[in-house]
Amino acid sequence: MRPYLDFLSSLAENNHKDWMDANRDWYQSNRKEFLEDVEVMLKNLSELEPALSAFKPKDCVFRQNRDIRFSANKDPYKTNFAAYFSPKGKKSEGPGWYLHIQPGNSFFAGGIWMPMAETLKKIRKEIDYSGAELTEILSEPEFVKLFPTIEGDKLKTSPRDYDADHPYIEFLRMKSFIVSSPIADKDVNSGNFLNLAFRGFSVMKPFLDFLEKAVEEVEDGSDLL
């Protein structure tokens, strides 16, 4: 059994430093177990992406403290445990896998969230050239079962340089490229979420490969032409 949801529920109800200081040991024991689960996931994902074998769990897990400097919400702590697995690191713009544990709102996901303008331009260029490949990836029955739609904000109009009747205009209008699937609380509690997430991560691998191909730097500069 995993203890995460009880701790996170209590944290959500007592999101202040005094409570966290008084329950520091409880937090540390939960974080330690989550790091151990992330280590298992890293080992499994290294079979899909060998570069991840060089990462340690702490390289993938997000801090519990929130950055409240520019936020109206001044709660000091995140009420979830989360990890991001990408060969370029959790702060990179490259595609990766994401695991989110939160009472009533756990899920696994993957893709690229709100890329910078130049990265978005590269993705749209790849869609323009290879939209049929992306459509095929997203149409695989196992993929559709887990990830019915690509999620993320869209432009209300066509992006610059692309016609409204472009065959892949719905993809080209997107500003994020994310797929996700929920995890039930019972699967978090039992630890089965690791199996569910890894299966989902495996299914979405071709989608991430497509995005990686789009954003990767070409050493001879040919991607700039």
Side-chain angles (χ1 to χ4, degrees):
M1 297 292 292
R2 298 302 193 275
Y4 308 139
L5 300 186
D6 286 344
F7 170 78
L8 292 170
S9 293
S10 294
L11 175 58
E13 295 172 0
N14 303 276
N15 201 329
H16 53 80
K17 186 175 184 300
D18 288 345
W19 184 89
M20 181 63 95
D21 288 346
N23 290 274
R24 182 66 57 178
D25 290 345
W26 191 15
Y27 165 65
Q28 292 291 0
S29 67
N30 273 265
R31 181 174 174 81
K32 180 176 181 292
E33 186 152 359
F34 187 63
L35 286 167
E36 290 171 355
D37 281 340
V38 168
E39 185 173 19
V40 171
M41 184 61 74
L42 267 174
K43 183 177 179 180
N44 290 335
L45 284 175
S46 294
E47 299 175 9
L48 303 178
E49 179 53 71
L52 289 174
S53 62
F55 284 70
K56 297 183 183 302
K58 66 179 182 180
D59 299 325
C60 305
V61 172
F62 291 98
R63 297 174 67 245
Q64 207 65 34
N65 294 73
R66 296 181 61 249
D67 184 349
I68 61 175
R69 292 173 299 172
F70 309 108
S71 175
N73 178 2
K74 297 303 181 183
D75 288 345
Y77 306 110
K78 299 170 187 172
T79 55
N80 63 75
F81 290 145
Y84 188 65
F85 307 91
S86 171
K88 295 180 181 177
K90 64 185 177 187
K91 295 184 179 180
S92 78
E93 273 207 84
W97 294 282
Y98 178 72
L99 177 63
H100 184 100
I101 302 298
Q102 184 174 10
N105 189 34
S106 299
F107 61 90
F108 54 87
I112 296 180
W113 177 257
M114 295 299 288
M116 300 291 284
E118 282 304 308
T119 300
L120 182 57
K121 184 177 180 180
K122 289 181 179 183
I123 296 172
R124 286 177 174 156
K125 184 177 179 180
E126 188 66 27
I127 291 171
D128 183 28
Y129 291 161
S130 306
E133 179 186 347
L134 179 59
T135 300
E136 183 177 353
I137 290 169
L138 300 179
S139 300
E140 286 291 329
E142 193 173 6
F143 194 100
V144 173
K145 184 177 179 180
L146 284 173
F147 314 113
T149 60
I150 297 187
E151 305 166 19
D153 292 341
K154 288 185 176 183
L155 294 173
K156 294 181 179 180
T157 58
S158 305
R160 184 181 301 176
D161 301 327
Y162 296 102
D163 296 332
D165 61 353
H166 191 288
Y168 306 112
I169 191 61
E170 291 305 309
F171 296 146
L172 292 168
R173 288 174 54 220
M174 301 201 74
K175 296 190 285 184
S176 290
F177 302 85
I178 299 292
V179 295
S180 71
S181 189
I183 302 172
D185 283 356
K186 64 180 178 63
D187 290 312
V188 174
N189 288 333
S190 69
N192 189 45
F193 73 95
L194 289 172
N195 296 324
L196 295 174
F198 180 62
R199 174 174 171 265
F201 289 161
S202 300
V203 170
M204 72 174 73
K205 179 66 162 57
F207 174 59
L208 268 61
D209 288 344
F210 180 91
L211 294 174
E212 177 60 32
K213 181 173 62 174
V215 304
E216 68 185 357
E217 296 293 338
V218 178
E219 292 183 0
D220 63 3
S222 60
D223 62 324
L224 302 178
L225 298 178

